[in-house]
Amino acid sequence: MSNEIIILLETTEPINFFGANHSNLQLIEKAFSQLKIVVRGDEIKATGDKDSIIEFENIINHLIAHLNRYGIVKRSDVLNLIGSSMEERGIREEIELDDEVLVHGRSGRIIKARTPNQKLMAKSSINSDIVFAIGPAGTGKTYTAVAMAVRALKNKEVRRIILTRPAVEAGENLGFLPGDLKDKLDPYLQPLHDALRDMIPQQKLLKLFEENIIEIAPLAFMRGRTLDHAFVILDEAQNTTSAQLKMFLTRMGKDAKFIITGDITQVDLPKNQSSGLMHAQKLLSNIKGIDFIILDERDIVRHKLVSKIIEAYSK
């Protein structure tokens, strides 16, 4: 039995809601292709199964509230809501997206490559199997890399995501931290957890961890493994030695993608050890299939003061 709902755009101008040439409406119709949607003037009528009707009404009401608050509904606002909605329902649909959109995050958030070098980093990770992203804090290296990994997993380009970091103290002493090995290592891996939580609903993320589809582990745990059909990110690579980085890169198996991120201005290794990331930049930069993306102060997406702080310290 079909259900029906009629929504009136009483407090808004239909043209502002539907967009030029009904472009917003077309996105909604594509997302809810299982419904019959008819628009007449300021009236929207939808017919179909109960669950889809409820979800459709929720999306429309959110967009109406957005329009009433901000005076405009942009294409990105519509994509924001419907992308999140479909993700929650476990639906993959081919909806035309802005090339800069990396993935739909939690609560309808659209995650984009926001700077030219972030866009270049995202493009390189599609075209090349190994990408090094080098730049100062706040340039979105890790976040962009995790977004590309999540997108690859959602698109079934890989079977799993593996995220790793070297457990090197940044001025603190690991041995004096309380707890067992996992407790001691968790603070190093927390930024990777934070990025994933922005992009994947909590319950689904927990399930992916339980099924080992997503794994976060210290770099030492990579030794001896072959990483097939995986999107693998090595974060904070400036704190690897040359031997460690070689070990990591040679874990690469078939149908794998690697992104290595790091900031060569923040090396926390002992003074008698040189950074493997800096060595790799000299050694591997001319190999086809390996890209090096250099991010700088212009790519910083944190608080505006961060770029000024980094600039001051670099002087």
Side-chain angles (χ1 to χ4, degrees):
M1 179 179 176
S2 291
N3 292 265
E4 182 179 285
I5 188 172
I6 296 176
I7 302 173
L8 295 177
L9 304 176
E10 297 176 307
T11 60
T12 64
E13 285 291 332
I15 189 171
N16 294 335
F17 183 86
F18 295 125
N21 301 316
H22 279 200
S23 58
N24 291 342
L25 177 62
Q26 290 168 11
L27 288 174
I28 296 168
E29 288 175 331
K30 194 163 188 178
F32 290 92
S33 57
Q34 72 276 28
L35 297 180
K36 181 181 179 182
I37 301 172
V38 178
V39 174
R40 292 191 180 91
D42 61 355
E43 179 184 289
I44 307 171
K45 182 169 75 171
T47 307
D49 68 274
K50 182 179 178 181
D51 290 342
S52 297
I53 289 288
I54 292 171
E55 189 65 38
F56 175 80
E57 182 182 20
N58 184 48
I59 293 290
I60 296 298
N61 286 337
H62 271 86
L63 290 172
I64 291 173
H66 183 94
L67 179 59
N68 289 336
R69 182 174 181 181
Y70 298 105
I72 187 172
V73 173
K74 297 181 290 186
R75 178 184 179 84
S76 60
D77 299 324
V78 181
L79 287 170
N80 194 329
L81 279 170
I82 63 178
S84 176
S85 169
M86 289 191 298
E87 177 65 27
E88 293 285 352
R89 289 183 282 143
I91 297 172
R92 256 189 100 236
E93 297 226 13
E94 295 300 325
I95 295 180
E96 184 183 353
L97 297 175
D98 188 325
D99 288 340
E100 297 170 11
V101 174
L102 302 180
V103 69
H104 289 285
R106 292 180 60 190
S107 303
R109 182 179 181 185
I110 285 184
I111 296 168
K112 288 187 173 188
R114 295 170 59 183
T115 72
N117 283 324
Q118 287 179 11
K119 294 172 189 175
L120 184 59
M121 181 181 164
K123 184 177 180 181
S124 292
S125 75
I126 294 172
N127 297 328
S128 299
D129 288 339
I130 297 179
V131 175
F132 286 80
I134 301 172
T139 51
K141 307 180 298 296
T142 301
Y143 203 78
T144 302
V146 173
M148 293 304 297
V150 171
R151 182 166 84 167
L153 184 66
K154 288 183 176 181
N155 291 344
K156 302 188 187 308
E157 295 165 10
V158 296
R159 296 175 188 169
R160 54 187 174 147
I161 295 172
I162 299 172
L163 311 175
T164 185
R165 274 185 162 195
V168 174
E169 295 114 319
E172 298 88 6
N173 192 326
L174 185 64
F176 286 101
L177 290 174
D180 58 17
L181 179 62
K182 181 181 182 301
D183 294 328
K184 292 175 187 289
L185 292 171
D186 274 350
Y188 291 96
L189 307 176
Q190 192 60 46
L192 301 173
H193 282 280
D194 292 343
L196 286 169
R197 288 193 189 101
D198 270 2
M199 300 173 197
I200 301 174
Q202 182 66 16
Q203 291 303 313
K204 184 172 183 180
L205 182 58
L206 290 173
K207 184 178 180 183
L208 292 172
F209 277 129
E210 288 171 4
E211 296 175 352
N212 221 31
I213 293 172
I214 296 181
E215 176 186 351
I216 301 180
L219 179 60
F221 288 26
M222 298 298 110
R223 190 174 299 278
R225 300 177 61 180
T226 300
L227 306 176
D228 295 328
H229 310 291
F231 201 116
V232 188
I233 298 170
L234 170 59
D235 196 32
E236 297 286 339
Q238 77 274 7
N239 289 329
T240 61
T241 64
S242 293
Q244 286 172 330
L245 189 50
K246 178 186 175 184
M247 177 276 291
F248 171 76
L249 293 172
T250 55
R251 300 307 93 203
M252 191 175 205
K254 56 187 177 182
D255 297 320
K257 291 275 189 181
F258 276 31
I259 295 184
I260 299 92
T261 71
D263 176 3
I264 56 176
T265 69
Q266 292 189 2
V267 178
D268 300 310
L269 291 168
K271 290 183 179 180
N272 62 338
Q273 291 184 333
S274 58
S275 170
L277 180 60
M278 298 171 72
H279 182 245
Q281 190 175 1
K282 297 175 184 176
L283 194 67
L284 307 177
S285 58
N286 293 323
I287 297 179
K288 188 176 181 180
I290 300 178
D291 284 354
F292 282 81
I293 309 300
I294 308 301
L295 299 96
D296 56 34
E297 289 81 0
R298 292 168 294 182
D299 298 295
I300 290 174
V301 293
R302 292 181 185 170
H303 193 286
K304 60 184 179 182
L305 288 176
V306 173
S307 59
K308 294 181 180 179
I309 291 168
I310 289 173
E311 184 180 356
Y313 273 97
S314 67
K315 291 178 180 177

